[in-house]
Amino acid sequence: MENKLSQELVIPCYDTDSSCLLKPSSFMDLAQELANVHARILGFGYDDLIRTRTVWVLSRMHIHFNRHPKWREEVSLCTWHKGASGLFYLRDFQMKNKEGETLVSATTSWLVINVDTRRLCRDTGILDDGTACMENAVEQECGKVQMPKGCEETKAGEHVVAYSDVDLNGHTNNARYVMWAMDLLEYDFLVANPVKDVRINFNNETRPGDTVELFRADADGKIYIEGKVGGKSAFCVEFGF
C-alpha cells in the first residue's frame, strides 16, 4: 500500500492573485482535497469515519513558500501522514515543479471529533496500520500561535459567516480564515511582499450567522490576525514575509 500520494496539477488562474502567484488559501484547498483522497485510499477517510459519527478537523497548519507557484505552472503535490503525536495526527505536504524543486512545504495537525457532541475523540486506533511515512516536509510540528504578549491589538474588522464560508461539516472551511485575515492587510503591501510563512491555529469552530471579530497585531516583522466570537478565540494566524 502506497504511503505517499502525488497529484499532477496545472495552477489555474482562479487560484492566483494579480501577480499570477498561487494564493495561500488556494494551496490550503488543494492540500485538503488531496488529504481527503489519500485518507480514503488508506481506509480512514470521511466515509469511513462518519460511520462512527466522527470526522477529521484541522487544528494547526504551517505553510512555507520557497517560491509561489505561478499561473499555468505544472506542479506535483504530494502528501503523506506521520501517525499520531499526542492528541494530534500529523500530515505533511510538498509541492514541486517539473524540475523537482520544492516550491511549497507544509505540515498539519489534525484531531478527530464526534459530529454530534463536537467533542474530541481520544484513543481512536486510527492510523495504527503501518502506513505512516516519517519524512518531514517541515522539520517541526506547527506549535501554538497566539497574539504576542505586550503588543497592542487593534480591531481590524468583522466577518459574518455565510454560505460561501461553510464546508460539508457545517462549519467554516479552514482556508476561509486565511482569506479573511489576508483581506485585512494592505493590498499594495501583499502584492509587493508575497507571504513566505503561514502558521495558523484553529481554536474553535464558527458556524453560519456567527459574527467573527478580527484583531491585528504587528511584532518582529510578523503580522498576527485573531478571530473571536463572543470573546472566544476561533483562530489565530501568523504571517511571515
Side-chain angles (χ1 to χ4, degrees):
M1 187 175 290
E2 181 57 59
N3 63 0
K4 286 187 175 183
L5 179 65
S6 293
Q7 181 182 33
E8 305 301 315
L9 301 164
V10 177
I11 302 300
C13 63
Y14 52 78
D15 279 337
T16 63
D17 61 17
S18 63
S19 299
C20 297
L21 302 180
L22 182 69
K23 297 175 183 176
S25 58
S26 296
F27 175 83
M28 293 172 73
D29 284 335
L30 293 170
Q32 179 176 233
E33 181 59 21
L34 193 62
N36 285 331
V37 172
H38 194 213
R40 185 180 73 240
I41 291 171
L42 295 179
F44 44 79
Y46 176 86
D47 294 330
D48 302 289
L49 267 64
I50 200 64
R51 295 189 187 103
T52 59
R53 303 299 294 163
T54 57
V55 292
W56 292 106
V57 293
L58 183 59
S59 180
R60 297 177 177 181
M61 187 171 196
H62 178 189
I63 312 168
H64 176 71
F65 291 90
N66 292 323
R67 174 174 72 76
H68 284 250
K70 300 176 181 178
W71 176 38
R72 296 174 176 165
E73 187 165 8
E74 296 178 24
V75 299
S76 64
L77 178 60
C78 181
T79 187
W80 61 96
H81 83 83
K82 299 192 296 185
S85 176
L87 295 175
F88 298 113
Y89 299 92
L90 307 182
R91 176 173 285 277
D92 282 10
F93 302 85
Q94 278 187 333
M95 181 176 280
K96 297 183 178 184
N97 63 11
K98 290 175 62 177
E99 291 70 40
E101 174 192 5
T102 299
L103 305 179
V104 190
S105 301
T107 188
T108 55
S109 304
W110 300 74
L111 298 168
V112 177
I113 67 165
N114 182 283
V115 297
D116 300 313
T117 65
R118 316 310 284 186
R119 291 182 178 177
L120 177 67
C121 297
R122 304 171 187 265
D123 302 321
T124 63
I126 298 172
L127 312 188
D128 297 335
D129 57 0
T131 58
C133 172
M134 303 314 294
E135 179 182 338
N136 291 326
V138 176
E139 285 303 314
Q140 295 183 340
E141 299 173 27
C142 182
K144 190 172 184 178
V145 179
Q146 58 187 0
M147 288 296 208
K149 294 180 179 179
C151 284
E152 181 181 356
E153 298 179 23
T154 58
K155 185 172 179 179
E158 291 184 351
H159 182 89
V160 178
V161 180
Y163 172 83
S164 62
D165 299 313
V166 177
D167 64 15
L168 56 82
N169 291 320
H171 62 201
T172 303
N173 178 266
N174 61 76
R176 302 298 294 187
Y177 294 112
V178 169
M179 192 178 297
W180 301 347
M182 292 189 70
D183 282 347
L184 294 175
L185 308 185
E186 296 78 8
Y187 178 82
D188 290 342
F189 173 81
L190 285 175
V191 171
N193 301 276
V195 174
K196 287 292 185 183
D197 281 279
V198 179
R199 297 175 65 245
I200 184 167
N201 286 182
F202 305 95
N203 299 320
N204 287 284
E205 64 184 349
T206 60
R207 292 176 165 274
D210 285 348
T211 297
V212 184
E213 295 183 288
L214 301 165
F215 298 86
R216 172 176 174 167
D218 296 51
D220 300 322
K222 297 177 181 179
I223 298 174
Y224 297 81
I225 304 291
E226 183 172 24
K228 298 180 181 180
V229 177
K232 191 174 183 179
S233 179
F235 75 95
C236 191
V237 59
E238 172 196 284
F239 293 118
F241 298 90

